[in-house]
C-alpha cells in the first residue's frame, strides 16, 4: 500500500493564518470591552504559544481584551487553581485546554456558573454540557496518518512502539486510538503498545533508550505530542540509532523540526494551533453575541517530511516560539 509522504488533510474550516505581533495580554482598548482569558494546557509549549498568536490576532480584529495564562507543567492539579483564579475575575469568556477529561469538570463548571462562555480549544472534557464548542484537530485521523506514514517508513515489517503523555487527555488518547486501529491493519508489524512520559522529554528519552535496549528488533516509534517527540528523538540519538529506528511525531516545534532536518525524526504531523486560537476567539464573541455556534470545529493537519518542510504551504504551519 503506497503511503502518502506529503498530505495536506483538509478536514474543516481554516482561518486566515497570518501571524501578528502579540504578547501575554492585549487590549485594543476599543470595541465592546469584553474580556476573554485563554488558559493554555501548559506554558512554554510552542503549540500553545502559536495558538495564543492566533487568538491575539483575532482579539485585535474584534476589539476584545485577551489575557493568556496557564500552569508551568501539564498537570490537572496545577491547572485547577489557575482556572479558579480566572473564574474569580469573571471574564466574559474563556478559551481553555483542559489537561484531563474529568478532573477539570468542576473548575469549568465554576467558570460557567460565574457567567463565562466556555470554549474548549485543543483538548476537551468528556462532559459536553459546559462548553459552547470544542475546537481541535481530528486527532484520531492524525493518529491513523502517523501509523500509515510509519508503516511505510519501515516497509511494513518489524517491531514498533508508541509513547505519550498520560491517559485521560482527549487529544493524545484519540491519536493513540487512531494509531493502534491503523497499525493493526499491518500484519508484518508487531506493536509493543504505549508507554507514558508525563509530558517530560527526559522521561521520554529514557523510555525510548531502554525500549531500544530491550527490543533489538525495534524499527519504529510513534510519539503522540511535542515533549514525547522531542524526548524520543533524543533517546534514539543517545542509542546511536538515528535514522535506523524511524520516528513519527505529532506537532512541529522548532526543536522537532531541527531533529527532522538532522534525520532523527522522519515524519511530523503538524496541527494548526494558530487557526484553533483564532477560531476560539471568533466563536467566543459569537456566543457572547448570542449567535449560533457549531458544537465542534475540526482544524487541519499537515504531514511534514524532510522533503517538504521548506515548501511555503507547509512551513507556514510550523510552530513559533513567539508571534
Ligand atoms: O500535541 C499538543 C496538544 O494538541 C496536546 O493536547 C497536548 O500536547 C501538545 O500540547 C503538545 O505539547
Amino acid at each position: 500500500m503506497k503511503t502518502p509522504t506529503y498530505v495536506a488533510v483538509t478536514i474543516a474550516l481554516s482561518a486566515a493564518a497570518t501571524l501578528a505581533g502579540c504578547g501575554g495580554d492585549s487590549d485594543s482598548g476599543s470595541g465592546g470591552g469584553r474580556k476573554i482569558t485563554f488558559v493554555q494546557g501548559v506554558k512554554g509549549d510552542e503549540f500553545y504559544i502559536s495558538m495564543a498568536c492566533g487568538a491575539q490576532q483575532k482579539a485585535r480584529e474584534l476589539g476584545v481584551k485577551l489575557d493568556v495564562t496557564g500552569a508551568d507543567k501539564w498537570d490537572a492539579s496545577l491547572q485547577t487553581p489557575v482556572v479558579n483564579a480566572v473564574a474569580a475575575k469573571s471574564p466574559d469568556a474563556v478559551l481553555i485546554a483542559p489537561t484531563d477529561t474529568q478532573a477539570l469538570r468542576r473548575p469549568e463548571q465554576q467558570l460557567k456558573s460565574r457567567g463565562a462562555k466556555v470554549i474548549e480549544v485543543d483538548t476537551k472534557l468528556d462532559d459536553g454540557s459546559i462548553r459552547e464548542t470544542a475546537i481541535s484537530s481530528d486527532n484520531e485521523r492524525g493518529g491513523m496518518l502517523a501509523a500509515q506514514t510509519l508503516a511505510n517508513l519501515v516497509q511494513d515489517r518489524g517491531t514498533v512502539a508508541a509513547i505519550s503523555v498520560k491517559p485521560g487527555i482527549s487529544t493524545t488518547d484519540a491519536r493513540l486510538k487512531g494509531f493502534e486501529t491503523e497499525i493493526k491493519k499491518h500484519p508484518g508489524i508487531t506493536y509493543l503498545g504505549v508507554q507514558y512520559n508525563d509530558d517530560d522529554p527526559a522521561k521520554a528519552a529514557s523510555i525510548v533508550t531502554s525500549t531500544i535496549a530491550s527490543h533489538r528488533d525495534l524499527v519504529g516509534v510513534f510519539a503522540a505530542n511535542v515533549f514525547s517527540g522531542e524526548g524520543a528523538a533524543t533517546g534514539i540519538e543517545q542509542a546511536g540509532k538515528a535514522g535506523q529506528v524511524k520516528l513519527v511525531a505529532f506537532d512541529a516545534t522548532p526543536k522537532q523540526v531541527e531533529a527532522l532536518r538532522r534525520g532523527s525524526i522522519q515524519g511530523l504531523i503538524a496541527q494548526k494551533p494558530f487557526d484553533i486560537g483564532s477560531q476560539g476567539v471568533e466563536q467566543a464573541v459569537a456566543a457572547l453575541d448570542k449567535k449560533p455556534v457549531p458544537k465542534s470545529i475540526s482544524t487541519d493537519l499537515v504531514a511534514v517530511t524532510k522533503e517538504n518542510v521548506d515548501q511555503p504551504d507547509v512551513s507556514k504551519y510550523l510552530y513559533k516560539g513567539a508571534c
Side-chain angles (χ1 to χ4, degrees):
M1 181 179 71
K2 175 99 189 61
T3 302
T5 54
Y6 158 56
V7 175
V9 179
T10 304
I11 296 178
L13 296 164
S14 59
T18 50
L19 281 177
C22 69
D25 304 349
S26 79
D27 178 1
S28 60
S30 62
R34 283 150 168 173
K35 285 191 315 176
I36 298 180
T37 299
F38 171 27
V39 182
Q40 305 167 99
V42 61
K43 277 200 282 197
D45 178 329
E46 286 104 346
F47 171 78
Y48 289 113
I49 293 170
S50 301
M51 192 181 292
C53 296
Q56 300 286 11
Q57 156 113 342
K58 188 55 72 177
R60 281 200 177 82
E61 278 173 33
L62 300 179
V64 297
K65 181 178 185 327
L66 182 81
D67 295 338
V68 179
T69 184
D72 295 329
K73 196 175 174 326
W74 186 282
D75 186 327
S77 67
L78 297 179
Q79 191 181 42
T80 296
V82 170
V83 178
N84 294 340
V86 170
K89 291 188 190 158
S90 300
D92 299 296
V94 174
L95 274 52
I96 179 168
T99 50
D100 184 273
T101 55
Q102 299 282 335
L104 268 295
R105 187 183 175 290
R106 191 182 294 278
E108 281 200 23
Q109 189 58 58
Q110 173 94 348
L111 288 171
K112 186 170 185 175
S113 56
R114 295 188 70 113
K117 299 290 184 191
V118 176
I119 309 288
E120 290 174 347
V121 287
D122 180 42
T123 51
K124 62 184 177 185
L125 294 179
D126 289 341
D127 174 357
S129 69
I130 300 171
R131 60 178 172 252
E132 300 295 323
T133 185
I135 306 168
S136 74
S137 309
D138 183 334
N139 290 290
E140 189 166 339
R141 177 160 173 68
M144 294 169 81
L145 178 64
Q148 290 160 356
T149 305
L150 190 60
N152 186 51
L153 287 163
V154 302
Q155 278 97 36
D156 259 306
R157 61 179 183 279
T159 298
V160 305
I163 185 164
S164 185
V165 183
K166 61 177 84 175
I169 304 171
S170 62
T171 49
T172 47
D173 286 351
R175 292 165 198 170
L176 281 172
K177 183 166 175 253
F179 180 85
E180 292 172 351
T181 305
E182 178 61 30
I183 210 72
K184 289 196 178 95
K185 297 180 191 156
H186 301 259
I189 292 180
T190 303
Y191 174 53
L192 292 177
V194 62
Q195 295 178 77
Y196 294 106
N197 58 59
D198 204 25
D199 217 28
D200 177 348
K203 264 193 198 154
S206 67
I207 287 170
V208 168
T209 43
S210 56
T211 306
I212 289 173
S214 54
H215 293 274
R216 289 284 157 210
D217 56 348
L218 188 79
V219 293
V221 174
F222 167 54
N225 84 325
V226 165
F227 297 134
S228 302
E230 292 178 359
T234 306
I236 288 172
E237 285 168 5
Q238 285 169 348
K241 296 281 187 181
Q244 294 167 50
V245 173
K246 308 298 184 189
L247 175 57
V248 174
F250 237 86
D251 296 305
T253 63
K255 264 208 191 110
Q256 287 178 300
V257 172
E258 278 158 33
L260 182 84
R261 292 186 193 285
R262 64 174 185 268
S264 306
I265 293 181
Q266 283 65 42
L268 293 171
I269 311 291
Q271 306 183 70
K272 295 188 178 178
F274 187 98
D275 294 7
I276 297 174
S278 180
Q279 279 289 336
V281 169
E282 189 155 339
Q283 299 308 325
V285 170
L288 290 167
D289 290 344
K290 301 193 176 15
K291 290 191 183 125
V293 171
K295 254 308 177 206
S296 70
I297 295 173
S298 199
T299 51
D300 297 356
L301 292 165
V302 179
V304 185
T305 63
K306 210 170 176 174
E307 291 70 37
N308 69 19
V309 66
D310 293 315
Q311 287 171 11
D313 59 347
V314 171
S315 56
K316 70 180 177 186
Y317 295 116
L318 304 180
Y319 306 173
K320 303 273 184 289
C323 303

